[in-house]
Amino acid sequence: MTRKPRIGLALGSGSARGWSHIGVIRALEEAGISPEIVCGTSIGALVGAAYAAGEIGRLHDWVKGLRWQSVVGMVDLRMNGGLIEGGKLVDFFRAHFRDEGIALLPKAFGCVATELSSGREIWLRDGPVIDSVRASIALPGLFRPVERDGRLLVDGGLVNPVPVSLCRAMGADIVIAVDLNWDLIGRRHWMPGEAGPQAPGEPDGLLASFFTKWRATRRDDGGAETAGEAPSLLEVLSTSLNIMQVRITQSRLAGEPADAMIRPRLAGIAAMDYHRAEVAIAEGERAARRALPQIAELLGKSPPP
């Protein structure tokens, strides 16, 4: 008797763009595709853990209620190891489900972190769910590192932004991967106050200082391209991280390709736009639906209408 292939879902890193993972999961479930193995890096670990625990609906409701005031309220100006403590994200899990450990989750789950001292890729596949997620999302300079088993751990996106390899190692026969950062390099990001993705009534000052945005270039009357306003420190850091993430992702996926790729178009959402969940979720749904014919073919199913 032929064994049914085990489906793995590899949810990539991408800060606030990661809320689109919720939309991806919703679209897959609506199409009758329910992965048995869920792996995540950084924000992908957070969403993946909620999904593996059966709490994706509660996470959806919570993130849709986030406002810019809530996000700014997470900023810790003491800068003690990171700009954001990360406690509010962790508090969501503590308040909404009982952490009995990764081994007892309804779906198989694993996430990726990076050992700060050595740069080694660390696979977290046992122990408390919340502690594992907190380590995986510890983006250097933004979230404080996490100590676990005598090691300081930071964001897994530094070494494995889309954890296809972990999905394979956990027994997935078919891996559906979600890459959140593929379109970040060379794309113009929206500035506060412009029409488009910026939320109406959102203040320009405080948000602009914390939320990473590209400055648009402009041309003078002679046709020469000149730079706009000089980027802030956070913009430079964020852009550098974007470049690193894109290049590492390209390299890892070239050697460890997924069977199906879902690539939401998220260049208009900055790293700290956690309050824009509705936009990200909708794009995640659209991207997943675009990939459904390919996924259905892999699974031997009829393509969706």
Side-chain angles (χ1 to χ4, degrees), residues 166-197:
L166 179 52
C167 266
R168 301 274 190 213
M170 291 178 64
D173 301 303
I174 294 173
V175 177
I176 303 167
V178 186
D179 179 6
L180 304 178
N181 303 313
W182 66 279
D183 64 343
L184 294 184
I185 297 179
R187 297 298 184 95
R188 180 183 184 277
H189 284 237
W190 297 89
M191 287 298 296
E194 292 183 322

Side-chain angles (χ1 to χ4, degrees), residues 216-218 225-229:
T217 58
R218 61 177 183 269
E225 190 176 59
T226 59
E229 184 181 346

Side-chain angles (χ1 to χ4, degrees), residues 51 56 73 75 93 125 135 159 173 183 210 217 223 230 232 247 249 256 267 270-271 283 288 296:
Y51 181 41
I56 196 68
V75 174
F93 281 89
R125 299 174 54 183
V159 290
D173 301 303
D183 64 343
F210 290 116
T217 58
S232 70
R247 297 307 184 202
T249 301
E256 303 158 352
E283 175 52 28

Side-chain angles (χ1 to χ4, degrees), residues 64-265:
K64 286 192 72 173
L66 285 176
R67 297 294 178 262
W68 68 266
Q69 296 95 333
S70 309
V71 180
V72 172
M74 290 190 289
V75 174
D76 179 7
L77 294 178
R78 292 172 298 176
M79 302 290 282
N80 184 18
L83 187 65
I84 294 178
E85 167 62 33
K88 290 192 178 180
L89 291 176
V90 173
D91 285 346
F92 166 79
F93 281 89
R94 296 196 192 281
H96 287 84
F97 80 95
R98 185 177 177 182
D99 187 352
E100 296 182 338
I102 290 175
L104 295 181
L105 290 173
K107 292 179 181 289
F109 173 74
C111 61
V112 179
T114 304
E115 185 177 24
L116 187 60
S117 62
S118 67
R120 290 176 56 233
E121 179 177 341
I122 306 297
W123 289 353
L124 303 174
R125 299 174 54 183
D126 55 25
V129 178
I130 295 171
D131 293 348
S132 298
V133 169
R134 179 65 184 83
S136 187
I137 67 172
L139 184 65
L142 188 62
F143 293 95
R144 294 179 63 183
V146 171
E147 184 176 354
R148 176 162 168 162
D149 299 328
R151 301 179 295 193
L152 275 183
L153 302 182
V154 294
D155 196 298
L158 298 176
V159 290
N160 194 355
V162 184
V164 173
S165 56
L166 179 52
C167 266
R168 301 274 190 213
M170 291 178 64
D173 301 303
I174 294 173
V175 177
I176 303 167
V178 186
D179 179 6
L180 304 178
N181 303 313
W182 66 279
D183 64 343
L184 294 184
I185 297 179
R187 297 298 184 95
R188 180 183 184 277
H189 284 237
W190 297 89
M191 287 298 296
E194 292 183 322
Q198 189 68 20
E202 189 175 276
D204 294 347
L206 185 58
L207 277 184
S209 67
F210 290 116
F211 289 40
T212 54
K213 306 284 184 181
W214 276 102
R215 304 295 189 190
T217 58
R218 61 177 183 269
R219 291 184 178 274
D220 58 24
D221 292 339
E225 190 176 59
T226 59
E229 184 181 346
S232 70
L233 172 61
L234 286 179
E235 288 172 330
V236 172
L237 288 173
S238 176
T239 302
S240 300
L241 285 171
N242 286 344
I243 294 169
M244 178 188 69
Q245 292 272 289
V246 171
R247 297 307 184 202
I248 295 172
T249 301
Q250 290 173 342
S251 176
R252 292 296 301 250
L253 290 177
E256 303 158 352
D259 298 290
M261 286 296 306
I262 297 175
R263 289 190 165 106
R265 294 166 180 159

Side-chain angles (χ1 to χ4, degrees), residues 51-67:
Y51 181 41
E55 299 289 350
I56 196 68
R58 291 192 185 188
L59 180 65
H60 172 267
D61 294 341
W62 182 73
V63 303
K64 286 192 72 173
L66 285 176
R67 297 294 178 262

